[in-house]
Amino acid sequence: MSEVCQIRSAAINGAKKIIVKAGTRLLIDRNSIARLVSGIAKLRSAGHQVLLVSSGAVGMGMEIANVTRRPAELAKKQALAALGQTRLMSIYSEEAAKHNFNVAQLLLTAADLRSRNRYLNVNNCINALWDDGILPIANENDSVSVNELKFGDNDTLAGMLTSVSGADLTILLTTVDGLRDRDEAGKLAGRFSIVEKITDKIRALAGGTDDSNLSIGGMDSKLRAAGLATAAGAYLWIADGRDEDIFEKILRGEDTGTLFLPAAHRISGRKRWLGFFSKVSGAVIVDDGAVKALTEGGKSLLPSGMIAVKGDFKRGDTVEILSTALHAIGRGLINFDAKDCLTLCGKHTDEVISFMGREAETEAIHRDNLVLIES
């Protein structure tokens, strides 16, 4: 067995929990949904717990309403999603029954994951369904979502649910055979079999969707999902969902699609929420010494390292930490209101105590409440 196939076999054999995402262009009719459910049944039979992130509600609604082009108006998309969601889940339920298991629907908005309590509730619900042998089927709640509540696309939702659920592997089924290189003319070239780290060069290879009439997303959204999944310590596998044998090939560890390897250091569950889901309310700009202390020394952020403040945040809010070049270094839970941070910029510990009182924290952001952004 080649080294590439050994890595792939390790990824699938070591995956107790798997997220599978299927896009709209793969869910074109009942037969395609039946093939997807059959493939998931094979994963379940092999001992894996599976959560499906399913697109297709709007597309199904378009079919029912005889609409050929995805509408631009939010209300019309919401209406189509509401129309299509019931039909889609009915088909999933009927197909799953043929394999002797039940399905359950999870309709989510970004707000459900920004709140720490709701984030934990989603995790608990997923685990309860898995414990009962039920297939959770998640989708963005398109019938109520507005821009500020949207994940953006279901690739991103899949990456986020990988983090929420503690899944070991995410499989993004798409209509391409993986991430492709580009030649000097910019045309697609060879397939990447393994990606060890998502670099700027890798990001530059991403292109947009090739059919916006039905779907949203593209390779760039899949790379965002890969960033979320691998930071959580999971593998992410981009695979060609048009291949009727794709699940068998994945189970055999074959060299198909592109496999992204987990980050070297897995972020803890609480810090994953802080780094990926919590709502950012502002920012603090820090000097070069603070950047070094945070990134190389594993230190807390002290007021002495702050040089400016952005936004009107409150104590306990999530703020970004920016370098003088305004590059994001990380984010964390701030110990002071914005107005106090502005006053404390550049102040040393004794000055902080003098201004805030002896009972106040002396760190602007404690290292236990801080997540660095991997460059």
Side-chain angles (χ1 to χ4, degrees):
M1 182 184 293
S2 69
E3 182 180 359
V4 165
C5 291
Q6 287 178 340
I7 293 172
R8 290 167 179 271
S9 293
I12 185 63
N13 293 335
K16 179 181 179 183
K17 302 175 180 179
I18 298 176
I19 307 294
V20 174
K21 182 264 179 178
T24 298
R25 283 173 285 154
L26 294 173
L27 304 173
I28 55 177
D29 53 29
R30 187 178 189 115
N31 288 336
S32 61
I33 295 174
R35 287 195 298 271
L36 173 62
V37 174
S38 178
I40 289 173
K42 291 181 173 66
L43 292 179
R44 288 167 53 92
S45 295
H48 305 286
Q49 294 177 318
V50 182
L51 181 150
L52 172 64
V53 176
S54 173
S55 301
V58 174
M60 188 69 69
M62 290 169 61
E63 180 182 330
I64 296 170
N66 197 27
V67 174
T68 58
R69 189 174 185 85
R70 189 182 181 96
E73 299 91 336
L74 176 61
K76 290 185 178 180
K77 284 188 287 191
Q78 290 173 326
L80 289 173
L83 179 63
Q85 194 67 248
T86 302
R87 174 79 63 85
L88 185 63
M89 286 305 300
S90 176
I91 296 173
Y92 274 126
S93 181
E94 292 169 5
E95 293 301 326
K98 297 176 182 178
H99 300 276
N100 299 312
F101 63 87
N102 293 316
V103 301
Q105 185 177 43
L106 295 175
L107 291 176
L108 302 170
T109 68
D112 295 318
L113 302 184
R114 288 176 184 160
S115 161
R116 177 66 175 164
N117 286 337
R118 289 159 74 178
Y119 171 97
L120 293 173
N121 287 339
V122 171
N123 182 32
N124 291 337
C125 179
I126 291 169
N127 284 320
L129 292 169
W130 274 340
D131 288 344
D132 289 338
I134 297 169
L135 172 69
I137 301 180
N139 192 4
E140 181 158 18
N141 196 353
D142 290 319
S143 61
V144 300
S145 285
V146 292
N147 285 339
E148 61 268 25
L149 296 180
K150 294 182 74 66
F151 296 101
D153 53 73
N154 273 344
D155 292 323
T156 301
L157 176 56
M160 288 184 167
L161 286 174
T162 303
S163 179
V164 171
S165 66
D168 308 293
L169 170 65
T170 296
I171 301 171
L172 300 183
L173 297 177
T174 184
T175 54
V176 296
D177 62 351
L179 177 66
R180 304 282 293 278
D181 203 352
R182 293 183 184 271
D183 60 23
E184 294 181 357
K187 295 182 179 180
L188 291 176
R191 171 179 61 91
F192 284 89
S193 177
I194 300 288
V195 175
E196 296 184 6
K197 184 177 181 180
I198 302 172
T199 62
D200 289 341
K201 178 183 177 181
I202 293 294
R203 293 187 187 96
L205 296 173
T209 180
D210 57 6
D211 184 2
S212 60
N213 288 336
L214 287 177
S215 63
I216 56 177
M219 191 56 69
D220 51 354
S221 72
K222 289 166 179 57
L223 292 185
R224 286 195 297 272
L228 289 166
T230 57
Y235 292 89
L236 183 133
W237 199 324
I238 297 175
D240 191 345
R242 299 168 299 180
D243 184 344
E244 295 185 8
D245 298 322
I246 192 61
F247 285 103
E248 289 88 343
K249 291 178 179 179
I250 288 173
L251 283 167
R252 292 194 295 265
E254 292 187 14
D255 184 6
T256 182
T258 300
L259 183 68
F260 293 78
L261 305 188
H265 303 289
R266 181 169 186 159
I267 302 173
S268 67
R270 181 174 178 275
K271 287 197 173 187
R272 290 202 303 272
W273 171 80
L274 176 60
F276 302 139
F277 304 106
S278 62
K279 183 178 180 180
V280 174
S281 300
V284 291
I285 301 172
V286 302
D287 61 27
D288 292 344
V291 170
K292 185 175 182 179
L294 295 173
T295 59
E296 299 180 16
K299 303 294 185 181
S300 300
L301 175 62
L302 301 178
S304 59
M306 300 189 308
I307 58 177
V309 174
K310 295 179 66 176
D312 185 23
F313 50 82
K314 304 296 183 185
R315 168 184 162 85
D317 284 350
T318 300
V319 299
E320 276 196 308
I321 303 168
L322 305 177
S323 69
T324 54
L326 301 184
H327 293 149
I329 303 302
R331 60 168 61 173
L333 302 179
I334 193 75
N335 284 329
F336 308 112
D337 293 346
K339 61 181 180 63
D340 289 332
C341 279
L342 191 60
T343 301
L344 295 174
C345 281
K347 297 288 193 298
H348 294 283
T349 299
D350 56 346
E351 296 173 293
V352 174
I353 293 173
S354 177
F355 179 78
M356 298 296 298
R358 291 196 173 274
E359 299 303 318
E361 292 89 352
T362 56
E363 304 95 350
I365 301 176
H366 192 276
R367 63 183 179 184
D368 290 343
N369 295 322
L370 185 153
V371 178
L372 297 177
I373 296 174
E374 186 174 347
S375 58

